[in-house]
Amino acid sequence: MSEIMDGFEHCGYLVELDEVIRAGHTKYRRTPPEFLIDHTPRSAASDTHDYIVAGMGKRFWGRKGVRPFEIRGLHLWLFENVNAVIRIKKMDGLGRTQGIQTGQAKDYDADREIPGLPPKPIRLVAGYWENETALEVTRTQIARPFGRRIDWCAAIVPMEKRKDGARVWAEVARQYRIA
């Protein structure tokens, strides 16, 4: 976890991921209340996801060392400098993804082959955990999935809580697999 997260931080990606994810959630929350009232949790998550994916495209498109992929509707970003690939998802406080997973998402999380995706990078999920009212992002985070479980989850420290010289991330949860 430290090697990957420190790599993301060193390249400046953690700050950018935090900004993009929070901006996507904020953009959704700007939907007029008379329309929001009709949204189910599923449509809220879907719209928020789309805003984040669009933000990722705007932020990272054409960036050296970052390659976007869209494989049968699954949006992924390969961060070559860190040797990691990320997908975006709504999460719980431990980094587990929320909602019904497609077969392709299950394959991604279980490190099974996905045609078109390079086989070597570490597969991660980046996302947001909302407060109880779903009005605010409690935190943005990156998790290392292993099927429906996670190996680890790290929170990206919000801008207003960052301290000079301190890491931009903090460990949230670690689960150990039995070999």
Side-chain angles (χ1 to χ4, degrees), residues 95-159:
R96 294 178 297 229
T97 60
Q98 301 292 288
I100 299 170
Q101 286 199 308
T102 65
Q104 190 172 1
K106 289 177 185 176
D107 289 344
Y108 177 90
D109 288 352
D111 280 333
R112 291 190 284 267
E113 181 182 351
I114 297 176
L117 180 65
K120 297 292 181 195
I122 302 295
R123 295 183 190 185
L124 304 171
V125 178
Y128 60 99
W129 174 39
E130 295 174 315
N131 68 358
E132 311 79 45
T133 65
L135 296 175
E136 296 178 6
V137 171
T138 299
R139 69 172 170 249
T140 57
Q141 49 196 24
I142 296 177
R144 171 68 171 113
F146 183 71
R148 280 298 291 160
R149 291 191 261 155
I150 58 156
D151 279 344
W152 53 262
C153 180
I156 302 172
V157 177
M159 183 173 48

Side-chain angles (χ1 to χ4, degrees), residues 63 74-75 82-83 87 110-111 144 148 151 153 164 178:
R63 177 88 64 90
L74 183 63
H75 297 273
V82 186
N83 192 34
R87 74 180 180 108
D111 280 333
R144 171 68 171 113
R148 280 298 291 160
D151 279 344
C153 180
D164 288 339
I178 299 173

